[in-house]
Amino acid sequence: MTCGPSCAVSLGDDRHDRYSHRACGRCSATAQRNATIPAMSTPCVRIADLAQYEGQSVQLQGWLYNRRSSKKMQFLQIRDGSGLVQGIVSKADAGDELFERAGAPGQEASLRVTGTVHADARAPGGFELRVTEVTEVGAATDYPLGKQAHGPDFLLSNRHLWLRSKRPTATLRIRDTIIRAIRDVLHRDGFINVDAPMFTPAACEGTSTLFDLDYFEDTKAYLTQSGQLYMEAAAMALGKVYCFGPAFRAEKSKTRKHLTEFWMLEPEMAYASLEDVMDLCESLLGEIAARVLNDNQRELVDLERDPAVLEKIVPPFPRMTYDEAAKILKDKTDFTYGDDFGAPDEEAITAGLDKPLLIHRWPHEVKAFYMKRDPNDPRWALGVDVIAPEGYGEIIGGGERATDLAFLEEQIEKHELPKEAFEWYLDLRRYGTVPHAGFGLGLERTVAWMCGLAHVREAIPFPRMMHRIYP
RNA sequence: UCCCCGGUAGCUCAAUUGGUAGAGCGUCCGGCUGUUAACCGGCAGGUUGUUGGUUCGAGUCCAACCCGGGGAGCCA
């Protein structure tokens, strides 16, 4: 599996590379808690904690990842979600009966395995389990995923099983780290989590295509494409807020950057400007990279992601205006001044950069109706896009919101939006409006970037795409 | 919606100018006392995406359709 962002089709999964199971602080706290079978004398432990039990008899609860065997030796690779370890069954030591029983379970059968922990240089990871007892919990025959490299269609159709493999588990651990980092940073900075509704009465921005559905007898509802407008209301109540949940786009996009259901973080701040938003983008992305580097070294190895790339994601990030970015494109692409940047334009602008790039002050025509205009030059909307390096594209879009009631009414009319649906939004300008700003961060694009994935579909447990809604 | 690529064994792929459809992996059986995607030997496994056409003969050529992948647009 050698996927960079430029690799077209390459989703083979080398299941049989293994975790190192050096002691890991993250796992040790939960080690004993997860025992579901009270062991008489042998403690039930997680593989990640095995090093602490050298010389002792322990029980593992896991699944058979792979087996190698000869007439008198078996090597059972066992995974339990915390790591991977090799179990040794020697016919001479174990006896014929146990040896035969240990040889029966198929790949991905669930097992309880008892044995003694030994340090051994020949074992992957340095420790192995000399097996004294094996109990099959749930049988598995003809497990569909094998050592063979698989194609994307097959893997995605078997996503519920693919999840057990090395790359998906590493990716999901990093996704978890990123989610926790985001919540930690925002709470530290005084943000309150306020969740936005998934059902909405109308388009938030009027541009993207919405999924619609019947909301009881006579009403149409839509799945939200953004919680931002609701966050503006919440910011007027709590000052600094964020929502973090799924967003839905019915765009018929089939690219490695698109999902129909994706997770979006949307912070919103009262009494804040475009500059404040850009500062928050920087500090948040910097902290995310630092947390992944700190918490997920093993996963980065599993994903063959070079940590040096992430070590460079340290603020400050370069910033430029749309106007400056457009000048870079002169004679490089077929870009037309005044248009939004396309994917080739983004790549040309960010070529050679190893940090995200903040592009601000956009032609108001290409931005949403609620964007505030630059008081110094009304041609520009006070928006900012953050473009990730390595071709991962736009991971953040945001800016300062318009506060003037008459201006917004005019924009709603110009964009042919149903004004009734926005009365509540206009109320926010009628009753104590303040300068405010925020942004939306695409979680899967961020995860894909941190992990070096070829496609955002690997950055979410069960991807929803134009042609795929199973499993 | 548009452009490009693909669909052959459970999986990953081969099959010369149109001429009897193959290999590896996996399963199963056998061999092997330290394997590292173990290795070695063997069995089984197919209406070549669908429909129609050209031809003595189609996996191969033509048409339509279905499904998937990549990209564009749009976006996070």
Side-chain angles (χ1 to χ4, degrees), chain A residues 52-256:
Chain A
Q52 304 166 24
Y53 295 91
E54 189 180 350
Q56 297 181 44
S57 180
V58 299
Q59 187 185 60
L60 301 178
Q61 303 183 117
W63 293 261
L64 182 62
Y65 195 67
N66 189 25
R67 178 209 320 280
R68 286 181 286 272
S69 63
S70 63
K71 192 172 187 180
K72 297 181 178 175
M73 288 284 279
Q74 292 190 52
F75 301 88
L76 310 178
Q77 284 191 286
I78 300 151
R79 62 167 192 88
D80 72 347
S82 79
L84 190 68
V85 72
Q86 165 172 291
I88 308 294
V89 189
S90 152
K91 200 167 192 174
D93 297 342
D96 292 358
E97 193 273 333
L98 173 58
F99 188 84
E100 194 170 321
R101 208 148 32 85
Q107 184 185 356
E108 285 300 327
S110 45
L111 305 173
R112 290 199 181 89
V113 182
T114 307
T116 51
V117 182
H118 287 268
D120 192 310
R122 291 169 296 184
F127 288 90
E128 63 187 19
L129 194 73
R130 308 250 169 104
V131 176
T132 55
E133 185 54 73
V134 175
T135 310
E136 186 176 65
V137 178
T141 52
D142 298 330
Y143 186 70
L145 274 60
K147 299 167 192 176
Q148 179 74 50
H150 295 292
D153 182 47
F154 180 81
L155 287 173
L156 289 166
S157 295
N158 289 281
R159 181 61 170 171
H160 52 297
L161 301 176
W162 184 24
L163 239 33
R164 304 180 183 191
S165 302
K166 183 184 70 173
R167 289 182 60 85
T169 53
T171 303
L172 292 179
R173 285 183 185 284
I174 290 178
R175 181 185 168 105
D176 173 65
T177 297
I178 292 170
I179 291 169
R180 283 185 291 113
I182 285 169
R183 293 192 185 275
D184 288 350
V185 166
L186 291 176
H187 281 197
R188 187 194 63 202
D189 290 353
F191 284 80
I192 302 298
N193 181 203
V194 179
D195 291 316
M198 296 297 107
F199 290 148
T200 61
C204 295
E205 306 185 11
T207 54
S208 302
T209 316
L210 293 159
F211 288 105
D212 63 356
L213 51 96
D214 294 322
Y215 195 73
F216 301 111
E217 281 78 23
D218 300 323
T219 311
K220 271 277 183 235
Y222 303 88
L223 292 177
T224 186
Q225 56 187 313
S226 165
Q228 181 210 310
L229 269 45
Y230 296 97
M231 288 305 100
E232 291 189 47
M236 300 304 130
L238 290 155
K240 294 206 274 188
V241 299
Y242 71 92
C243 64
F244 198 175
F248 307 89
R249 303 273 167 95
E251 297 286 349
K252 294 187 174 178
S253 292
K254 297 193 303 177
T255 81
R256 60 168 162 259

Side-chain angles (χ1 to χ4, degrees), chain A residues 138-431:
Chain A
T141 52
D142 298 330
Y143 186 70
L145 274 60
K147 299 167 192 176
Q148 179 74 50
H150 295 292
D153 182 47
F154 180 81
L155 287 173
L156 289 166
S157 295
N158 289 281
R159 181 61 170 171
H160 52 297
L161 301 176
W162 184 24
L163 239 33
R164 304 180 183 191
S165 302
K166 183 184 70 173
R167 289 182 60 85
T169 53
T171 303
L172 292 179
R173 285 183 185 284
I174 290 178
R175 181 185 168 105
D176 173 65
T177 297
I178 292 170
I179 291 169
R180 283 185 291 113
I182 285 169
R183 293 192 185 275
D184 288 350
V185 166
L186 291 176
H187 281 197
R188 187 194 63 202
D189 290 353
F191 284 80
I192 302 298
N193 181 203
V194 179
D195 291 316
M198 296 297 107
F199 290 148
T200 61
C204 295
E205 306 185 11
T207 54
S208 302
T209 316
L210 293 159
F211 288 105
D212 63 356
L213 51 96
D214 294 322
Y215 195 73
F216 301 111
E217 281 78 23
D218 300 323
T219 311
K220 271 277 183 235
Y222 303 88
L223 292 177
T224 186
Q225 56 187 313
S226 165
Q228 181 210 310
L229 269 45
Y230 296 97
M231 288 305 100
E232 291 189 47
M236 300 304 130
L238 290 155
K240 294 206 274 188
V241 299
Y242 71 92
C243 64
F244 198 175
F248 307 89
R249 303 273 167 95
E251 297 286 349
K252 294 187 174 178
S253 292
K254 297 193 303 177
T255 81
R256 60 168 162 259
K257 293 173 188 164
H258 287 90
L259 298 166
T260 54
E261 177 183 324
F262 66 98
W263 279 61
M264 188 155 61
L265 164 75
E266 295 180 279
E268 192 74 27
M269 301 176 279
Y271 290 104
S273 67
L274 173 65
E275 296 300 315
D276 296 322
V277 158
M278 292 199 282
D279 291 347
L280 180 61
C281 290
E282 266 184 357
S283 62
L284 185 62
L285 293 176
E287 297 242 18
I288 286 171
R291 280 280 286 273
V292 170
L293 281 167
N294 187 63
D295 293 359
N296 298 108
Q297 286 189 32
R298 187 182 76 182
E299 286 74 23
L300 292 174
V301 170
D302 286 345
L303 292 166
E304 296 171 347
R305 179 59 159 161
D306 184 1
V309 173
L310 302 187
E311 281 161 9
K312 291 175 181 156
I313 314 300
V314 178
F317 301 152
R319 301 180 181 191
M320 65 176 67
T321 64
Y322 171 91
D323 203 45
E324 291 164 336
K327 287 196 178 95
I328 293 177
L329 290 179
K330 200 173 169 65
D331 303 327
K332 281 188 181 160
T333 65
D334 56 359
F335 168 73
T336 306
Y337 188 87
D339 289 354
D340 202 351
F341 298 129
D345 304 322
E346 284 181 2
E347 288 190 28
I349 294 167
T350 57
L353 291 180
D354 49 18
K355 293 184 184 188
L357 171 68
L358 282 66
I359 303 176
H360 58 94
R361 288 176 170 79
W362 292 72
H364 67 80
E365 293 88 352
V366 304
K367 287 295 176 186
F369 76 93
Y370 49 73
M371 285 273 186
K372 186 180 175 70
R373 299 286 172 84
D374 188 341
N376 297 318
D377 187 342
R379 284 180 301 163
W380 308 121
L382 291 177
V384 58
D385 282 5
V386 181
I387 315 295
E390 302 175 83
Y392 283 99
E394 184 183 343
I395 51 171
I396 287 178
E400 193 168 335
R401 323 302 188 189
T403 52
D404 185 81
L405 178 63
F407 173 79
L408 275 172
E409 285 175 327
E410 186 186 309
Q411 291 300 309
I412 287 171
E413 193 173 332
K414 196 151 74 178
H415 287 80
E416 296 177 340
L417 298 171
K419 196 186 171 203
E420 332 66 77
F422 289 91
E423 283 301 334
W424 69 267
Y425 185 68
L426 295 172
D427 270 355
L428 303 176
R429 275 72 185 173
R430 294 188 180 107
Y431 307 107

Side-chain angles (χ1 to χ4, degrees), chain A residues 20-36:
Chain A
S20 88
H21 56 224
R22 64 189 150 73
C24 164
R26 178 186 58 223
C27 308
S28 54
T30 57
Q32 304 284 331
R33 209 179 300 148
N34 292 330
T36 55

